[in-house]
Amino acid sequence: MNPVNYLYLAALLFTIGATGVLIRRNAIVVFMCVELMLNACNLAFVAFARMHGNLDGQIIAFFTMVVAAAEVVVGLAIIVSVFRARHSASVDDASLMKL
Amino acid sequence: MSFPLLTATAVLPALGAIATAAVPAAKRTAAKWLALIVSLGTLALAVTVLMRFDPGGARYQLTESHAWIPEFGVRYELGVDGIAVALIALTAVLIPFIILAGWHDADPLETGSKRWRPTQGFFALILAVEAMVIISFEATDVFLFYIFFEAMLIPMYFLIGGFGDRAHEHGEETAATQRSYAAVKFLLYNLVGGLIMLAAVIGLYVVAGNFSLTEIAEARANGSLHMATSTERWLFLGFFFAFAVKAPLWPLHTWLPNAMGEATAPVAVLITAVVDKVGTFAMLRFCLQLFPEASKWATPAILVLALISIIYGALLAVGQRDIKRLVAYASISHFGFIIMGIFAMTSQGQSGATLYMVNHGISTAALMLVAGFLISRRGSRLIADYGGVQKVAPVLAGTFLIGGLATLSLPGLAPFVSEFLVLVGTFSRYPVIGIIATLGIVLAALYTLVLYQRTMTGPVKAEVAHMPDLRVRELVVVAPLVVLLIFLGVYPKPVTDIVNPAVKQTMSDVHKKDPQPEVEAAK
Amino acid sequence: MENLIALLVAAPLLGAAVLLCGGRRLDAVGHWIGTAFAAASFVLGVVLFADMLGKSPEHRTLMQHLFSWIPVEGFQANVGFQLDQLSMTFVLLITGVGSLIHVYSIGYMEHDERRRRFFGYLNLFLAAMLLLVVADNYLLLYVGWEGVGLASYLLIGFWQHKPSAATAAKKAFLVNRVGDMGLSIAIMLMFTTFGTFAFGPVLQSTGDAGEGKLTAIGLMLLLAACGKSAQVPLQSWLGDAMEGPTPVSALIHAATMVTAGVYLIVRSGDIFNAAPDAQLAVTVVGAVTLLFGAIVGCAKDDIKKALAGSTMSQIGYMVLAAGLGPIGYAFAIMHLVTHGFFKAGLFLGAGSVMHGMNDEVDMRKYGGLRKYMPITFVTFGLGYLAIIGFPGLSGFFSKDKIIEAAFAKGGAEGWILGGAALLGAAITAFYMTRVMLMTFFGEKRWQPDEHGNEPHPHESPKVMTIPMIVLAVGSVFAGAFFGIGERFVKWLEPVTGFEHGHPPVSALTVTLSTVAVMVVGVGFAYAQYGRRPVPVVAPRGSLLTRAARRDLLQDDFNHVVLVRGGEHLTRSLVYVDHTLVDGVVNGTAATMGGLSGRLRKLQNGFARSYAVSMFGGAAVLIAATLLMRAV
């Protein structure tokens, strides 16, 4: 199978993830969409590794996974504590950053 | 390696500042004494510098040089010439008087007021300013100079914004607003100047490859470092702008009346007599040495601005209703004289300008500190609130008059010597500018005598009828300044002897010779 | 001997320092200390004078170099003294009259609680004035010049609680400052022309300098002299200066300080000799002022202001003489000395009258005082005869010579100047007779004041009358002593030079006409004030009288042109500084603030909109990169 197809898939997944981040309000869903984008990138890396015949892409994919795992831990913890404090998982409710 | 005297002179007040700040809140008197002792110690060190300095010796003496940021060629390089020695001595002499005059300025207010006045902070900040000013006078590395030139804004900002006059005619709230306005204005003006200078400093590095004043000046002199004419002019303007803000030169002067008006009198003295001198000093040291051709190119414009400063400052001083703002505008007029002397490019003008910096420091300190004593008694800065003080407090009035007479450059007092030198130096090269500038001496008499007449003479106003005369502490502040004014007016030779060789070198830096008289006078 | 010169200046300076720093504990003896230091200075002067007389006329100049004052590359100012015959004349006049007035003040200021300070200021004045006349260069002279200005300021405003006194003091200092501007420009011109401003080198090299430069220097020196000597156009301060205590008016504003301008011109004689245009200006100023002062003197009812007008006029004579060149220098100084005697005597007499009349100064409220104060009447009368030039008395010898020299100028100028001087002599006789008649003759015109205190005229104590008697003796004999055998001229000749003038008419004719116009002046005054009673309230008078009462509108002119104009200028500048200069900066700040307010709205706090801008930014960056690759 032509490896370029994997890249199309990666682009499709990334777009779905990005759209989700931009339009959804539920923090959990936004968070999942971010994960989706990260995995789309991972797929692209692996596909490139296959296309170019070296392992660099695969190694970076592993890095990404590790970082994503760490991020999930921190991110979920924040979401949970925000939910506890405000009884809402909507990202629009947490608009305290503006002056 | 010999004892790093110059570093010590700057480090002692810095350490003193930290120590003063660390004194526990309850022991405010101890903090005051500590600050005073440290400032006297600094004075002793400055006197040692003065003694060790050999006027006939090398241009920069007591030099210290260490690598600091070798990647960028930044060095910790100190050295003093005659001009710097004179100004370090001025700073070290004035700070103890400033501390002593401001002895009660940062005491906590009476019960019922919510304002917290950190005594320790006040004196620590003054010492911090002293340290930074001294090291600015000593630095022969452009980058090192720049850092402290900018850093001294921080303590000054807090001194202006944090400590105002004890009583205020418009109430505490308005006073606080005006104070923070003045402090922010001070900071913004000087930051803008500093930013432009930073660009010029970086530009200089790009052109010259290092920051050492001595190396660059030498390379400029022997031709090994060539600058395109336009590059030199841009760099000169960058440096000059920052110094002109600090000096301050018309039209960049408007921060000074606000700052001096809102700050307490000792801090106002600190601004105009000490901190501002870094600006005029830097014109002599950096602008003329690094960019001699551009300095000559800009001379006509700068002289005109200086002339405007002289006349404009004096006229505005006449129109003021507030004692401290009046002194501020008078200072603007005097800074015009200093800058005019520097850029007249004659030996008399530059020696006069240096002497002027010293004398203006002393005379403004005398006038402003006495004005501060006066204001603290009545609780108002408005001239119209006074009248007949001479009758109730003759010593206060007498010292105020002497300070005023020094401000109007009465012969026999120190400022006359410097003002006349500046005028002669300017006149011999630019007669028209010199003649117009002499108008300044008439206007100076006008604003000083009007101030004295309205505050001190006439019928005694009810509010001042029970005003006490100068106290011992206040007399200890004023009397030495008056003695200095008279001594340097009669015998300025100790200062001119130190300054003259440095001026001679600056003159040769800019390749200028004094105009010669028309006639060889008979002996 | 040279070292005594420094001591001469130092003695009163020390006195001033002791008195002003000594504080209240010296109140009881302050006046004695002050008088002692003044007298010490006089004794030193006499010793130096005796020494000088012992030498041959060419070798009488004493020089003393004290120390290098302002040593700067190319600019050497020294503190050094030069005592020659010209300076010596002044030293004796200053210390002599000064000591007498110190003695007089002991009595006059007896009831003033600040008497110690008064004597301190008087000593300060003596020191500055002595420094002025013994300095060996113009810059040091300038120190003395401003020093006497300061002393004058302090003494005019001595009664500071009176706003009028404080204002008069300020005015005097300011007007003098305008003159000082002239002196400093003159010194700067000397420096650029000669490279020095010491008397010797400058005055000996005038031959090498261009006439234009010398004329400029001369005019600037004239401006300085106008300020200090109250000559037109800087005359306006002298009348107001009478706010000071009367001994001050006698010493500073009649006998010594106001003559400093004459000293300056005579001292710089070599410069003026080489600059005829400047000389002409000097004579014109002198002639105008001598008439101006005389006219003002005719209209004043305040005895001191009438005398002030007279002072102005007499100094006009001296300046006129000084402008005539070597034919006039010696006579200018001679008139200066005789004037010092009789005018100081007249002022002290006026002070004595005021002392007896509860400080009343309006002559219309005097009248018939000769019966009450005989000594004052006699001494004042002798001074009066001296000033109007009564034959045989001081003023006759000195004034006559000046009139003669003015005619000797030659041509139309000589006739105009001589005519002005003659006319001045007639007016002098008129106004002085008026003062004399209104004060000492006629009926008594004083009345109780609003508190019901009626003045009880009485003779002043001995401490006041003795100085008056001494000065009266001087007024009578000094002229004859100096004039007969040209003694004074020969004394000054080595310093100022001398030429005999040749008036177009014989000297005797000039003398006779001088006496004739004097008699006419006295006659007019007698007709108006002697034969008719003097009204207590001044009549409205003619236009000229009313203008003269207002000092020929000098203050109105100054007020409209300088004061109002200046006020408008400063007020508008304060406005400009606040709105324009500051406004530009504040405007910049406001614009920045507005911009940041707009930008702030972009930061709405919604994470999604931040994400959109991130994505948008990333997209733009990628597009730009691709675009750059493609190009």
Side-chain angles (χ1 to χ4, degrees):
Chain A
M1 200 166 104
N2 190 352
V4 176
N5 290 337
Y6 291 103
L7 292 184
Y8 289 135
L9 178 62
L12 191 67
L13 286 174
F14 189 88
T15 312
I16 292 170
T19 315
V21 168
L22 292 184
I23 63 173
R24 294 305 297 264
R25 292 187 186 176
N26 190 317
I28 301 288
V29 178
V30 170
F31 201 61
M32 279 163 62
C33 290
V34 171
E35 290 302 312
L36 197 57
M37 285 156 74
L38 284 171
N39 284 322
C41 292
N42 276 348
L43 185 58
F45 274 125
V46 174
F48 281 127
R50 171 86 178 167
M51 282 161 76
H52 296 299
N54 67 8
L55 289 175
D56 292 357
Q58 295 195 19
I59 292 168
I60 290 180
F62 277 115
F63 265 115
T64 313
M65 280 183 217
V66 175
V67 172
E71 184 215 326
V72 166
V73 174
V74 177
L76 275 178
I78 292 173
I79 290 170
V80 168
S81 63
V82 168
F83 184 79
R84 275 197 192 142
R86 311 180 74 89
H87 303 289
S88 152
S90 168
V91 288
D92 285 1
D93 285 347
S95 65
L96 297 172
M97 283 199 298
K98 75 166 179 185
L99 276 169
Chain B
M1 197 186 113
S2 62
F3 179 69
L5 190 57
L6 293 185
T7 305
T9 315
V11 164
L12 178 64
L15 291 178
I18 296 168
T20 309
V23 173
K27 299 190 172 164
R28 57 181 77 252
T29 314
K32 293 174 185 177
W33 281 103
L34 179 63
L36 184 62
I37 289 165
V38 168
S39 69
L40 288 174
T42 312
L43 176 60
L45 282 174
V47 170
T48 320
V49 171
L50 195 67
M51 303 299 239
R52 296 266 292 275
F53 183 80
D54 169 23
R59 176 163 195 173
Y60 294 106
Q61 299 182 20
L62 306 169
T63 48
E64 295 169 30
S65 181
H66 305 281
W68 182 20
I69 315 177
E71 289 80 0
F72 297 111
V74 176
R75 298 183 65 80
Y76 176 80
E77 261 187 6
L78 303 181
V80 284
D81 58 358
I83 301 170
V85 166
L87 291 172
I88 291 172
L90 170 75
T91 308
V93 166
L94 286 182
I95 297 292
F97 294 125
I98 289 173
I99 289 178
L100 208 53
W103 203 249
H104 296 302
D105 279 5
D107 283 352
L109 292 172
E110 298 74 14
T111 45
S113 170
K114 286 188 193 118
R115 273 193 42 230
W116 175 65
R117 313 236 296 187
T119 314
Q120 280 83 344
F122 183 73
F123 292 98
L125 288 170
I126 291 178
L127 287 178
V129 172
E130 179 178 26
M132 291 177 192
V133 168
I134 288 180
I135 206 157
S136 306
F137 287 140
E138 290 169 344
T140 53
D141 184 284
V142 179
F143 194 79
L144 184 67
F145 169 81
Y146 171 76
I147 288 179
F148 288 101
F149 182 78
E150 285 295 283
M152 70 178 86
L153 299 181
I154 302 164
M156 283 315 299
Y157 171 79
F158 288 112
L159 280 173
I160 297 169
F163 305 88
D165 280 325
R166 176 164 283 258
H168 197 280
E169 58 270 23
H170 300 303
E172 198 52 49
E173 285 297 312
T174 330
T177 320
Q178 287 181 353
R179 233 183 356 256
S180 64
Y181 173 74
V184 168
K185 197 170 179 180
F186 163 83
L187 191 69
L188 282 182
Y189 261 89
N190 283 286
L191 271 183
V192 169
L195 274 182
I196 293 175
M197 182 182 164
L198 178 64
V201 168
I202 295 169
L204 181 71
Y205 177 70
V206 171
V207 176
N210 66 56
F211 288 111
S212 167
L213 172 73
T214 44
E215 274 177 43
I216 300 175
E218 196 185 317
R220 298 277 293 146
N222 63 25
S224 63
L225 172 60
H226 179 73
M227 274 188 211
T229 313
S230 61
T231 317
E232 187 184 340
R233 288 179 184 172
W234 280 113
L235 291 179
F236 167 81
L237 288 178
F239 275 83
F240 184 79
F241 184 81
F243 304 149
V245 169
K246 183 138 308 190
L249 183 67
W250 187 89
L252 305 170
H253 64 275
T254 49
W255 63 268
L256 187 71
N258 286 89
M260 280 179 75
E262 300 307 325
T264 62
V267 173
V269 172
L270 193 66
I271 298 171
T272 184
V274 177
V275 172
D276 286 353
K277 295 297 183 302
V278 182
T280 45
F281 164 80
M283 286 181 196
L284 262 174
R285 182 175 262 189
F286 294 99
C287 287
L288 294 193
Q289 276 193 45
L290 294 174
F291 316 108
E293 296 309 314
S295 302
K296 281 188 269 187
W297 162 75
T299 295
I302 293 174
L303 284 179
V304 169
L305 289 181
L307 188 61
I308 294 176
S309 284
I310 293 172
I311 304 295
Y312 185 89
L315 281 174
L316 275 158
V318 175
Q320 294 305 312
R321 296 181 300 146
D322 173 328
I323 300 175
K324 283 156 101 183
R325 287 178 68 95
L326 189 151
V327 180
Y329 277 106
S331 282
I332 290 169
S333 179
H334 289 141
F335 277 109
F337 274 108
I338 297 176
I339 295 170
M340 193 168 86
I342 293 173
F343 282 90
M345 308 274 183
T346 54
S347 307
Q348 299 91 41
Q350 294 189 345
S351 290
T354 312
L355 214 53
Y356 211 126
M357 293 184 218
V358 175
N359 295 339
H360 171 257
I362 302 170
S363 68
T364 307
L367 182 64
M368 194 69 180
L369 292 180
V370 180
F373 299 150
L374 181 70
I375 290 166
S376 69
R377 281 163 167 69
R378 167 76 175 78
S380 165
R381 301 182 341 224
L382 294 181
I383 295 171
D385 285 348
Y386 296 88
V389 174
Q390 199 275 337
K391 187 100 176 150
V392 277
V395 179
L396 192 153
T399 47
F400 193 67
L401 181 63
I402 294 177
L405 291 173
T407 304
L408 64 77
S409 299
L410 188 86
L413 297 176
F416 168 73
V417 174
S418 40
E419 191 160 300
F420 198 80
L421 280 173
V422 166
L423 284 173
V424 161
T426 311
F427 183 84
S428 60
R429 210 183 281 283
Y430 306 96
V432 177
I433 291 183
I435 288 178
I436 301 175
T438 49
L439 268 180
I441 68 172
V442 179
L443 292 173
L446 182 61
Y447 62 68
T448 313
L449 295 185
V450 168
L451 173 65
Y452 183 79
Q453 186 193 352
R454 299 218 176 123
T455 51
M456 298 295 168
T457 70
V460 181
K461 288 215 171 170
E463 294 89 344
V464 303
H466 301 290
M467 192 175 267
D469 210 337
L470 285 189
R471 301 182 179 91
V472 175
R473 171 181 63 86
E474 294 166 336
L475 211 55
V476 167
V477 171
V478 177
L481 292 175
V482 169
V483 170
L484 262 181
L485 281 176
I486 295 173
F487 176 76
L488 288 181
V490 176
Y491 196 63
K493 195 162 177 288
V495 186
T496 53
D497 279 352
I498 292 174
V499 167
N500 282 342
V503 166
K504 208 170 181 177
Q505 273 154 335
T506 315
M507 286 290 289
S508 76
D509 285 338
V510 289
H511 312 294
K512 279 277 194 181
K513 288 208 165 54
D514 288 329
Q516 289 303 307
E518 266 171 38
V519 181
E520 188 60 39
K523 288 295 166 217
Chain C
M1 263 304 148
E2 293 87 14
N3 297 333
L4 287 186
I5 308 176
L7 216 55
L8 189 69
V9 181
L13 193 62
L14 184 66
V18 168
L19 288 173
L20 293 179
C21 302
R24 302 220 162 127
R25 68 199 83 113
L26 288 181
D27 274 353
V29 290
H31 46 287
W32 295 114
I33 296 177
T35 314
F37 277 108
S41 194
F42 178 62
V43 170
L44 283 171
V46 171
V47 169
L48 282 164
F49 179 60
D51 177 64
M52 189 177 271
L53 283 180
K55 295 180 187 159
S56 69
E58 288 73 31
H59 300 98
R60 281 178 174 167
T61 306
L62 285 179
M63 302 288 283
Q64 186 193 14
H65 174 80
L66 266 191
F67 57 90
S68 176
W69 179 24
I70 314 178
V72 167
E73 186 78 17
F75 181 97
Q76 299 299 327
N78 294 322
V79 174
F81 301 131
Q82 169 180 344
L83 188 70
D84 54 15
Q85 289 92 328
L86 180 61
S87 308
M88 194 70 234
T89 312
F90 271 89
V91 166
L92 290 178
L93 177 74
I94 295 160
T95 53
V97 176
S99 302
L100 286 176
I101 286 171
H102 272 76
V103 174
Y104 178 90
S105 306
I106 294 175
Y108 190 84
M109 301 297 285
E110 196 177 353
H111 303 295
D112 197 299
E113 55 176 355
R114 292 161 71 231
R115 180 162 67 163
R116 168 183 58 87
R117 194 172 313 184
F118 181 80
F119 277 84
Y121 293 160
L122 275 188
N123 272 356
L124 179 67
F125 168 76
L126 282 191
M129 189 73 200
L130 287 169
L131 181 64
L132 195 163
V133 297
V134 298
D136 77 342
N137 64 69
Y138 283 97
L139 199 64
L140 193 61
L141 178 144
Y142 189 31
V143 176
W145 189 265
E146 287 251 19
V148 292
L150 170 67
S152 157
Y153 169 79
L154 293 170
L155 285 165
I156 295 172
F158 186 71
W159 288 317
Q160 290 187 330
H161 50 91
K162 286 199 293 185
S164 59
T167 309
K170 181 189 72 184
K171 182 175 177 187
F173 197 94
L174 278 179
V175 177
N176 268 296
R177 265 265 150 156
V178 177
D180 296 344
M181 213 178 112
L183 186 54
S184 53
I185 294 175
I187 298 175
M188 293 193 270
L189 272 167
M190 283 176 205
F191 178 73
T192 54
T193 314
F194 302 105
T196 175
F197 33 76
F199 289 151
V202 168
L203 297 176
Q204 282 158 29
S205 333
T206 47
D208 304 331
E211 198 187 312
K213 274 279 171 72
L214 290 174
T215 308
I217 296 177
L219 289 176
M220 285 298 125
L221 289 174
L222 174 64
L223 179 63
C226 283
K228 192 87 4 185
S229 293
Q231 301 291 294
V232 176
L234 298 180
Q235 80 292 355
S236 66
W237 63 272
L238 187 62
D240 294 354
M242 296 301 131
E243 287 287 344
T246 309
V248 171
S249 312
L251 177 61
I252 300 185
H253 306 116
T256 55
M257 183 189 87
V258 284
T259 57
V262 182
Y263 171 79
L264 184 67
I265 295 173
V266 174
R267 174 59 79 196
S268 319
D270 287 321
I271 294 173
F272 285 96
N273 294 344
D277 292 341
Q279 266 188 329
L280 182 65
V282 174
T283 52
V284 169
V285 165
V288 169
T289 312
L290 81 88
L291 291 175
F292 186 106
I295 293 170
V296 169
C298 291
K300 292 285 182 189
D301 289 333
D302 178 328
I303 185 167
K304 286 179 73 181
K305 292 206 167 158
L307 289 177
S310 157
T311 304
M312 206 185 278
S313 163
Q314 297 302 314
I315 297 169
Y317 274 105
M318 300 170 208
V319 170
L320 168 64
L324 295 171
I327 53 174
Y329 292 139
F331 299 132
I333 301 298
M334 185 165 133
H335 192 54
L336 192 156
V337 175
T338 55
H339 175 257
F341 281 115
F342 57 69
K343 186 52 66 63
L346 287 170
F347 264 110
L348 294 191
S352 174
V353 170
M354 286 161 57
H355 196 70
M357 296 289 292
N358 290 357
D359 286 330
E360 177 61 61
V361 290
D362 190 351
M363 293 190 289
R364 293 188 183 276
K365 295 181 182 155
Y366 291 168
L369 288 176
R370 65 178 187 283
K371 290 176 291 231
Y372 299 95
M373 14 185 109
I375 303 178
T376 306
F377 168 62
V378 172
T379 54
F380 196 93
L382 289 173
Y384 154 73
L385 291 176
I387 192 174
I388 64 171
F390 193 81
L393 273 71
S394 284
F396 169 75
F397 288 97
S398 48
K399 197 190 288 177
D400 182 52
K401 287 291 182 191
I402 293 177
I403 297 172
E404 211 178 299
F407 277 113
K409 170 100 174 162
E413 285 170 29
W415 284 103
I416 294 170
L417 295 175
L422 258 187
L423 181 60
I427 306 177
T428 307
F430 174 81
Y431 68 71
M432 282 313 297
T433 312
R434 173 175 176 269
V435 169
M436 197 68 197
L437 291 173
M438 284 173 84
T439 307
F440 292 104
F441 293 89
E443 293 305 309
K444 74 162 194 156
R445 294 185 296 275
W446 61 85
Q447 273 136 14
D449 62 7
E450 62 265 31
H451 307 296
N453 298 330
E454 196 176 328
H456 298 288
H458 56 270
E459 189 53 271
S460 301
K462 282 220 173 59
V463 75
M464 288 168 70
T465 50
I466 289 173
M468 287 155 60
I469 294 169
V470 175
L471 287 170
V473 171
S475 320
V476 175
F477 297 109
F481 180 75
F482 293 153
I484 293 170
E486 296 193 327
R487 202 180 262 141
F488 196 79
V489 172
K490 284 183 186 139
W491 158 253
L492 274 188
E493 197 181 348
V495 183
T496 59
F498 181 66
E499 282 168 23
H500 271 286
H502 300 287
V505 288
S506 76
L508 186 66
T509 320
V510 175
T511 309
L512 287 178
S513 34
T514 312
V515 175
V517 297
M518 177 199 85
V519 172
V520 171
V522 171
F524 265 107
Y526 181 72
Q528 191 160 0
Y529 299 99
R531 296 179 49 189
R532 281 179 273 169
V534 179
V536 178
V537 177
R540 192 171 145 79
S542 68
L543 205 61
L544 180 65
T545 316
R546 272 181 281 153
R549 267 188 210 135
R550 300 190 62 121
D551 300 298
L552 296 179
L553 307 180
Q554 58 183 21
D555 287 331
D556 304 77
F557 175 81
N558 288 348
H559 187 77
V560 171
V561 176
L562 297 176
V563 180
R564 287 256 199 87
E567 274 172 5
H568 282 297
L569 180 65
T570 52
R571 231 176 275 154
S572 45
L573 272 182
V574 170
Y575 180 74
V576 164
D577 199 53
H578 196 69
T579 50
L580 220 68
V581 183
D582 223 12
V584 169
V585 179
N586 285 342
T588 318
T591 317
M592 286 294 173
L595 274 179
S596 75
R598 302 263 160 76
L599 278 174
R600 202 170 67 180
K601 290 195 179 133
L602 289 179
Q603 314 291 319
N604 55 12
F606 293 124
R608 285 176 300 119
S609 66
Y610 295 152
V612 170
S613 39
M614 264 172 67
F615 277 114
V620 169
L621 275 180
I622 290 169
T625 320
L626 289 177
L627 212 65
M628 292 301 284
R629 282 245 184 101
V631 175

